[in-house]
């Protein structure tokens, strides 16, 4: 019988296969190339419709390909995007917007005011499925004169122009979109941003090529590959092995370990992501003493130091440093004795604790479950016996939208434009589906601020509301998160407070 | 006889599929978390919620939704993914080849490894080698596939970085695929860089999936071999002067392999199920990875489509195993 493989043939084939595989592995970035191991895959290339459009983490990729109406600097300040000027009229009845004349779509055609108007009208059309339709529908009757667009204000929204730098605030190409349709756009998206989509493997990677005609100047890296690596351990391995130059959102322990290694360094800056405990106006939470005691009993700095390795900023309100309505004079000290006094006034003690349930995710945010465990431990020492219920984030959204959350529920609130209406406003205003505390006093205080035309009065109004919320213990703000970015020391990364990781803001060093 | 069996199995498969469709449809809707709540922006009003609910058809009753969905499925329309905004059938079919290639590669590795260990164990039965192989198999079996994956990432991705950690192919390779079967198409079109890169990306996840199955095959096949090697006809071969290895490979293996075939068929379906976690770990763009995203995002049409495809796969594999068993086993073949 003739054997299928001779021993020599088998060894030769094995050696050849080994050589093929060895040579086929991904290699570290070459000059002019950049590889990013990113934590979420792009789900759709329409940044204005569907769930992907309101996913804050996906905005970084969208911002590489598309331009927003208005841009945002690393410190949250607003800068020209496709619009170079924007304003309300003095009586707030009209808006005026000037469109830049040097922006070009990736197919070479110019970005026009018609594109801007079409994008705004499409966003305002309920049938397109833009989740932010409620904002974009507040202006109408557009008129174009040269590069200037004017429109009527149907309902005054003080933060309207800030929304233009926020979720779904992207300009899309009217003619191209109408030519290829929604499905064609998904397959071959074009924008006016610094990078063009060169190749896209859903769930795997997107390869971007620098757009030489970008109005802000071509970005430094010619090719950027963004790999979608959802598992944190795999992202750590990607950057540690040199397969990727940059990764983000890894455990803080790994961040500290990796930046100590040769060839790697990191950035860890506070971002617009707030860890908080929603309190629901039910059961024992109707007792102000219980609410305030629960807040006084939490040593936030200890949690940050012990669980988050020092990466975090303790907060007293839902407005973080850098936000428009941040007020550093509002503080909330750690005071377990005060907590005991308050509980005693309501008849509770360590031997006779007040009992309630606290809900939390596990692994959705860094150390979320562990933080709640620590807080429950702190509470136990003052006379609060809380039971932890773990759920996934989808259940949290559903329960919150139907106002069925437990008396306490951990969550993180993002607000990359730093406006108080999108932080304290919507999270504490009863009629909002995102609000948990629904008392009339807050509705009366926050409601008028949504349409306050005097910006100074509006901001001061939110500061006053924040102080009022703290005095009454309607919510427990915990901390401002820090986003860990690990990268090759050959790359210079500009961190954004908004949490965006923009390849166009990366340079070689 | 064979045709009647085939017809019967196909008709029961259809009933099973319908049952799976009903169960999945109801389960994903009664499970906590709905996709509309997940996409609500900060300032959404009750009207916005109602508008989005109607837009995605969730305002209708459960039976109405089911009838609409089933009607679409019967016409080849599995609906549109809420998050990916593309037809579900296109999405699922675009990812299925990746999972199939990975699963088949894992199966080949498991068969080769498990078979080799079984033959060596049977050849060296009663010695310390057999004991060592048994202990090794038990140890391998006790470690789940995703832990093997993590170990491989550490070993071959970080400490000795010879294999790719994530993805299915090197993003820098330029290649227009006519199908999504990268390995098969790469071979047929003579693009061995594509084949090499795909294999380099598949090797670690395939090994992670294969090892537990390989251990199981090794244990069962070795036991079967040992029993067959006690039979008279193998003694006859020995009397004719064949070496023990030749007796095992030439005479014993075919008979011993039959019971193993059933095990492999059943375990292969579990292996495909295991791709969900392993694909996630290696950011491998298969159906399992997509399934996790679909569940996280409560993308109901996509979940339904993926589960149906998995159900079809499981039924097809079981059917194939039953039929091949019938064909290979002379007693069943002759009725």
């Amino acid at each position: 019988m003739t054997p299928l493989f001779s021993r020599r043939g088998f060894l030769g084939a094995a050696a050849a296969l080994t050589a093929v595989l060895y040579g086929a592995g991904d290699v570290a970035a070459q000059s002019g190339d950049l590889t990013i191991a990113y934590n979420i895959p792009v789900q759709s290339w329409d940044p204005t419709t569907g769930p992907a459009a309101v996913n804050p983490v996906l905005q970084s990729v969208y911002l590489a390909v598309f331009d927003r109406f208005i841009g945002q600097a690393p410190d949250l300040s607003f800068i020209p995007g496709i619009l170079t000027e924007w304003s309300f009229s003095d009586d707030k009845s009209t808006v005026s917007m000037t469109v830049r004349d040097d922006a070009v779509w990736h197919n070479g055609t110019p970005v026009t005011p018609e594109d801007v108007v079409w994008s705004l009208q499409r966003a305002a059309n309920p049938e397109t499925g833009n989740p932010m339709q409620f904002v974009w529908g507040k202006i109408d009757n557009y008129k174009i004169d040269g590069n200037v667009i004017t429109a009527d204000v149907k309902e005054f929204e003080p933060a309207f122009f800030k929304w233009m730098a926020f979720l779904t605030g992207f300009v899309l190409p009217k003619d191209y979109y109408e030519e290829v349709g929604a499905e064609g756009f998904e397959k071959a998206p074009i924008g006016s941003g610094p990078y063009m989509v060169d190749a896209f493997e859903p769930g795997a990677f997107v390869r971007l090529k620098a757009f030489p005609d970008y109005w802000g100047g071509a970005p430094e890296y010619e090719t950027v590959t963004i790999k979608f690596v959802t598992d944190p351990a795999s992202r750590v391995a990607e950057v540690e092995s040199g397969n990727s130059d940059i990764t983000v959102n890894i455990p803080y322990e790994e961040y500290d370990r990796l930046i100590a290694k040769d060839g790697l360094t990191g950035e860890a800056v506070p971002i617009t992501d707030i860890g908080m405990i929603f309190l629901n106006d039910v059961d024992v939470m109707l007792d102000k003493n219980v609410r305030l005691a629960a807040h006084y009993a939490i040593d936030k700095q200890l949690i940050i130091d012990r669980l988050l390795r020092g990466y975090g900023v303790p907060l007293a309100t839902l407005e973080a440093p850098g936000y428009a309505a941040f007020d550093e004079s509002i503080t909330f000290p750690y005071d377990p004795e005060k907590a005991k006094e308050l509980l005693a006034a309501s008849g509770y003690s360590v031997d006779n604790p007040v009992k309630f349930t606290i809900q939390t995710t596990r692994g959705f945010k860094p150390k979320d479950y562990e933080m709640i465990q620590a807080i429950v431990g702190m509470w136990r020492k003052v006379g609060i016996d809380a039971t932890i219920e773990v759920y996934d984030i989808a259940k949290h959204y559903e329960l919150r939208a139907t106002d069925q959350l437990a008396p306490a529920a951990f969550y993180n609130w993002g607000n990359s434009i730093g406006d108080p209406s999108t932080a304290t406003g919507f999270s504490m205003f009863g009629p909002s589906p995102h609000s948990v505390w629904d008392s009339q006093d807050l509705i009366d205080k926050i409601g008028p601020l949504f349409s306050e035309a005097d910006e100074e009065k509006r901001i001061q109004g939110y500061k006053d509301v924040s102080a009022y919320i703290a005095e009454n213990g309607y919510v427990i703000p915990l901390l401002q998160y820090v986003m860990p970015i690990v990268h090759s020391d050959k790359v210079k990364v500009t961190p954004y407070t908004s949490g965006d990781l923009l390849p166009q803001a990366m340079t070689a060093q | 006889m064979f045709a009647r069996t085939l017809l019967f199995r196909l008709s029961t498969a259809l009933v099973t599929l319908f049952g799976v469709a009903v169960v999945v449809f109801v389960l994903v809707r009664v499970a906590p978390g709905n996709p509309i709540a997940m996409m609500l922006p900060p300032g959404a009003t009750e009207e916005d919620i109602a508008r989005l609910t109607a837009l995605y058809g969730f305002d209708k009753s459960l039976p109405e939704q089911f009838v609409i969905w089933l009607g679409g499925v019967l016409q080849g329309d599995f609906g549109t993914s809420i998050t990916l905004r593309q037809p579900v059938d296109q999405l699922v079919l675009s990812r299925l080849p990746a999972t199939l290639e990975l699963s088949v590669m894992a199966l080949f590795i498991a068969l080769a490894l498990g078979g080799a260990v079984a033959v060596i164990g049977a050849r060296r039965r009663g010695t310390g080698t057999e004991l060592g192989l048994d202990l090794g198999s038990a140890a391998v079996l006790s470690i789940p596939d995703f832990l093997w994956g993590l170990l491989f990432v550490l070993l071959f991705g970080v400490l000795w970085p010879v294999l790719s950690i994530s993805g299915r192919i090197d993003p820098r390779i330029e290649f227009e695929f006519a199908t999504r079967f990268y390995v098969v198409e790469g071979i047929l079109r003579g693009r061995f860089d594509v084949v090499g890169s795909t294999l380099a990306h598949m090797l670690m996840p395939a090994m992670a999936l294969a090892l537990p199955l390989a251990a199981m095959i090794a244990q069962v096949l070795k036991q079967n071999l040992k029993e067959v090697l006690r039979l008279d006809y193998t003694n006859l071969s020995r009397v004719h002067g064949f070496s023990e290895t030749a007796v095992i490979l030439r005479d014993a293996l075919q008979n011993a392999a039959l019971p193993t075939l059933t095990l492999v068929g059943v375990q292969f379906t579990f292996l495909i199920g295991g791709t969900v976690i392993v694909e996630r770990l290696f950011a491998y763009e298969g159906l399992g990875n997509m399934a996790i995203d679909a569940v996280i995002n409560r993308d109901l049409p996509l979940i339904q489509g993926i589960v149906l495809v998995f159900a079809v796969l499981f039924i097809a594999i079981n059917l194939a195993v039953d039929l091949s068993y019938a064909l290979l086993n002379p007693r069943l073949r002759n009725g």
Side-chain angles (χ1 to χ4, degrees):
Chain A
M1 183 193 278
T2 309
L4 189 60
F5 280 114
S6 67
R7 182 173 299 179
R8 184 176 297 175
F10 178 79
L11 290 174
L17 181 65
T18 306
V20 166
L21 293 178
Y22 193 86
D26 297 349
V27 294
Q30 297 169 345
S31 175
D33 291 358
L34 188 72
T35 303
I36 302 172
Y38 204 58
N39 54 323
I40 275 198
V42 170
Q43 297 155 348
S44 161
W45 281 108
D46 184 342
T48 66
T49 58
V54 289
N55 188 329
V57 187
L58 278 180
Q59 303 303 308
S60 298
V61 185
Y62 290 153
L63 282 165
V65 178
F66 305 99
D67 276 316
R68 284 198 175 126
F69 300 101
I70 294 171
Q72 214 174 2
D75 65 353
L76 297 185
S77 60
F78 299 95
I79 56 175
I82 288 296
L83 301 182
T84 53
E85 292 173 42
W86 55 89
S87 62
F88 283 106
S89 61
D90 289 343
D91 64 356
K92 315 296 183 196
S93 65
T94 60
V95 294
S96 173
M97 301 171 280
T98 304
V99 179
R100 69 168 55 252
D101 57 10
D102 55 350
V104 181
W105 296 114
H106 294 160
N107 64 0
T109 58
V111 177
T112 64
E114 284 77 11
D115 290 314
V116 174
V117 170
W118 177 80
S119 297
L120 284 166
Q121 287 176 326
R122 180 172 173 268
N125 180 358
E127 289 174 12
T128 62
N130 185 311
M132 299 299 188
Q133 184 266 338
F134 77 100
V135 172
W136 308 119
K138 290 183 177 178
I139 60 172
D140 204 354
N141 299 326
Y142 294 91
K143 295 179 188 71
I144 297 173
D145 182 11
N147 269 14
V148 178
I149 301 167
T150 54
D152 294 338
V153 174
K154 286 164 61 183
E155 184 187 340
F156 177 62
E157 163 60 64
F160 184 81
F161 290 118
K162 290 185 180 178
W163 279 98
M164 286 191 152
F166 198 24
L167 306 174
T168 78
F170 289 96
V171 187
L172 298 185
K174 174 180 180 287
D175 291 342
Y176 179 76
Y177 193 97
E178 288 178 343
E179 180 191 332
V180 300
E183 209 170 314
F185 194 80
E186 287 289 351
K187 286 178 182 158
I190 67 164
S192 58
Y195 281 100
M196 303 178 286
V197 176
D198 183 46
F200 175 52
E201 280 296 323
F205 67 87
V206 57
R207 192 175 63 221
L208 304 171
K209 288 280 182 197
F211 181 39
D213 298 329
Y214 181 57
W215 57 267
E220 180 156 329
Y221 286 101
E222 177 62 27
T223 303
V224 173
T225 301
I226 301 175
K227 295 180 181 176
F228 309 130
V229 186
T230 44
D231 187 81
S234 301
R235 286 200 300 280
V236 168
E238 275 282 333
V239 80
E240 190 169 8
S241 64
N243 280 326
S244 291
D245 302 296
I246 301 167
T247 196
V248 72
N249 285 329
I250 56 172
Y252 295 117
E253 296 85 348
E254 293 290 357
Y255 174 80
D256 282 343
R257 183 179 70 80
L258 289 175
I259 61 170
K261 294 184 74 119
D262 286 345
L264 291 176
T265 184
E267 314 287 340
V269 296
I271 57 165
T272 54
D273 219 354
I274 305 297
M276 61 188 281
I277 297 175
F278 272 122
L279 299 182
N280 203 352
D281 49 334
V282 294
D283 304 335
V284 294
M285 287 306 166
L286 293 170
D287 185 338
K288 181 179 174 182
N289 288 335
V290 172
R291 298 195 303 268
L292 289 173
H295 198 169
Y296 278 118
I298 299 173
D299 188 344
K300 297 167 190 171
Q301 191 59 55
L302 186 71
I303 289 172
I304 291 168
D305 291 343
R306 296 284 173 84
L307 286 176
L308 305 180
R309 300 174 76 90
Y311 296 111
V313 179
L315 290 179
T317 72
L318 297 178
E319 305 296 328
Y323 287 17
F326 173 68
D327 185 347
E328 61 184 352
S329 71
I330 306 171
T331 56
F332 207 101
Y334 165 58
D335 191 344
E337 292 310 313
K338 177 88 173 166
K340 284 180 186 170
E341 279 174 33
L342 288 163
L343 288 171
S346 290
Y348 301 114
S349 65
V350 174
D351 296 328
N352 177 35
V354 57
K355 296 182 179 180
F356 58 85
T357 298
I358 180 165
Q359 294 166 319
T360 180
T361 49
R362 189 173 194 166
F364 180 68
K365 294 297 289 182
K367 306 285 185 196
D368 45 6
Y369 178 72
E370 291 80 0
M371 271 198 279
I372 294 306
Q373 274 189 317
I375 288 169
V376 167
M378 292 172 186
W379 281 347
R380 199 172 293 128
K381 289 179 184 168
V382 298
I384 297 173
D385 181 9
T387 306
I388 301 175
E389 180 188 318
V390 177
Y391 55 12
D392 72 356
I393 193 65
K395 187 176 178 186
H396 169 89
Y397 285 127
E398 186 180 30
L399 293 177
R400 199 171 75 193
T402 51
D403 198 19
Q404 293 178 51
L405 282 174
F410 175 81
Y411 184 65
N412 71 288
W413 189 280
N415 178 24
S416 65
I417 51 174
D419 190 78
S421 67
T422 44
T424 305
F426 289 123
S427 65
M428 301 303 294
F429 180 62
S432 163
H434 295 290
S435 166
V436 180
W437 190 270
D438 303 324
S439 61
Q440 191 59 45
D441 54 344
L442 272 187
I443 295 172
D444 294 340
K445 285 180 183 296
I446 295 173
L449 296 175
F450 282 125
S451 55
E452 174 57 59
D454 185 325
E455 184 64 4
E456 208 170 306
K457 273 178 71 179
R458 188 175 77 93
I459 297 301
Q460 186 56 50
Y462 274 112
K463 287 182 179 179
D464 295 343
V465 167
S466 291
Y468 180 77
I469 289 170
E471 284 162 20
N472 286 278
Y474 288 149
V475 70
I476 302 178
L478 292 173
L479 55 98
Q480 183 180 16
Y481 279 107
V482 164
M483 184 168 82
I485 306 168
V486 176
H487 56 92
S488 157
D489 60 9
K490 295 184 177 67
V491 181
K492 186 171 184 294
V493 174
T494 303
Y496 277 64
T497 308
S498 58
D500 293 324
L501 185 70
L502 303 181
Q504 60 266 40
M506 295 170 192
T507 52
Q509 65 175 4
Chain B
M1 179 74 179
F2 181 76
R4 206 168 63 186
T5 307
L6 183 64
L7 199 64
F8 175 74
R9 290 303 305 269
L10 284 176
S11 55
T12 54
L14 284 176
V15 174
T16 308
L17 270 181
F18 181 77
V20 169
V22 174
V23 170
V24 170
F25 191 88
V26 173
L27 273 184
V28 294
R29 276 163 178 75
V30 298
N34 79 59
I36 303 301
M38 293 195 68
M39 69 173 90
L40 288 180
T45 61
E46 291 299 325
E47 292 75 41
D48 293 319
I49 297 171
R51 178 176 54 78
L52 286 170
T53 305
L55 187 72
Y56 289 101
F58 298 129
D59 56 334
K60 297 181 172 63
S61 70
L62 209 58
E64 272 182 291
Q65 289 183 48
F66 182 71
V67 168
I68 292 170
W69 177 71
L70 191 64
V73 168
L74 291 175
Q75 295 172 51
D77 177 7
F78 287 73
T80 303
S81 159
I82 294 171
T83 46
L84 304 175
R85 304 175 60 77
Q86 291 173 58
V88 167
D89 55 336
Q90 285 180 21
L91 287 168
V92 170
L93 290 178
S94 72
R95 296 288 190 95
L96 183 59
T99 298
L100 285 179
E101 282 196 339
L102 177 64
S103 303
V104 169
M105 184 173 177
L107 181 65
F108 278 137
I109 292 172
L111 285 171
L113 267 179
V117 171
V119 168
I120 294 168
R123 176 72 183 79
R124 308 281 297 167
R125 57 191 180 278
T127 67
T129 305
E130 187 193 7
L131 182 64
L133 289 174
D134 283 349
L135 289 173
S137 295
V140 168
L141 198 54
S142 62
I143 298 173
D145 46 19
F146 70 92
L147 276 184
W148 281 115
L150 283 172
L151 187 67
F152 290 146
V153 166
L154 182 68
L155 289 176
F156 304 114
V158 177
L159 296 178
W160 188 43
V162 291
L163 294 172
S164 302
I165 297 163
S166 65
R168 194 179 172 204
I169 192 168
D170 187 337
R172 290 167 300 158
I173 289 181
E174 302 273 359
F175 189 67
E176 287 292 325
F177 289 98
T179 70
R180 307 288 294 179
F181 290 95
Y182 289 7
V183 176
V184 176
E185 195 176 335
I187 291 170
L188 292 176
R189 290 168 64 178
R191 283 293 299 269
F192 294 103
D193 56 335
V194 170
V195 178
S197 177
T198 310
L199 289 177
H201 284 77
M202 277 169 63
L203 199 54
M204 280 199 286
M207 282 291 290
L209 286 167
L211 280 184
L213 179 57
M216 209 174 289
I217 291 171
Q219 287 185 347
V220 173
L221 184 59
K222 189 201 73 179
Q223 202 54 40
N224 290 335
L225 278 172
K226 283 170 73 176
E227 284 170 21
V228 171
L229 288 170
R230 284 191 210 109
L231 299 178
D232 291 343
Y233 80 96
T234 57
N235 284 332
L236 194 62
S237 292
R238 289 187 191 99
V239 171
H240 284 154
F242 288 106
S243 70
E244 188 65 13
T245 306
V247 171
I248 291 172
L249 294 177
R250 210 185 68 127
D251 298 326
L253 194 57
Q254 188 179 352
N255 286 337
L258 267 180
T260 314
L261 182 68
T262 311
L263 169 88
V264 170
V266 173
Q267 290 301 321
F268 186 48
T269 57
F270 286 117
L271 184 148
I272 291 175
T275 59
V276 174
I277 301 292
V278 171
E279 284 183 0
R280 191 68 170 181
L281 179 65
F282 289 95
Y284 186 84
E285 53 192 286
L287 212 50
N289 205 350
M290 183 188 258
I292 291 183
D293 284 329
V295 170
I296 289 172
N297 295 311
R298 295 297 191 272
D299 192 336
L300 306 190
L302 191 54
I303 295 171
Q304 288 158 197
I306 293 171
V307 173
L308 269 190
V309 166
F310 271 121
V312 169
L313 272 181
F314 291 172
I315 290 168
I317 290 165
N318 283 324
L319 189 61
V321 170
D322 285 356
L323 296 178
S324 58
Y325 195 78
L327 285 172
L328 290 173
N329 190 331
R331 282 170 296 186
L332 294 177
R333 192 168 53 209
N334 298 327

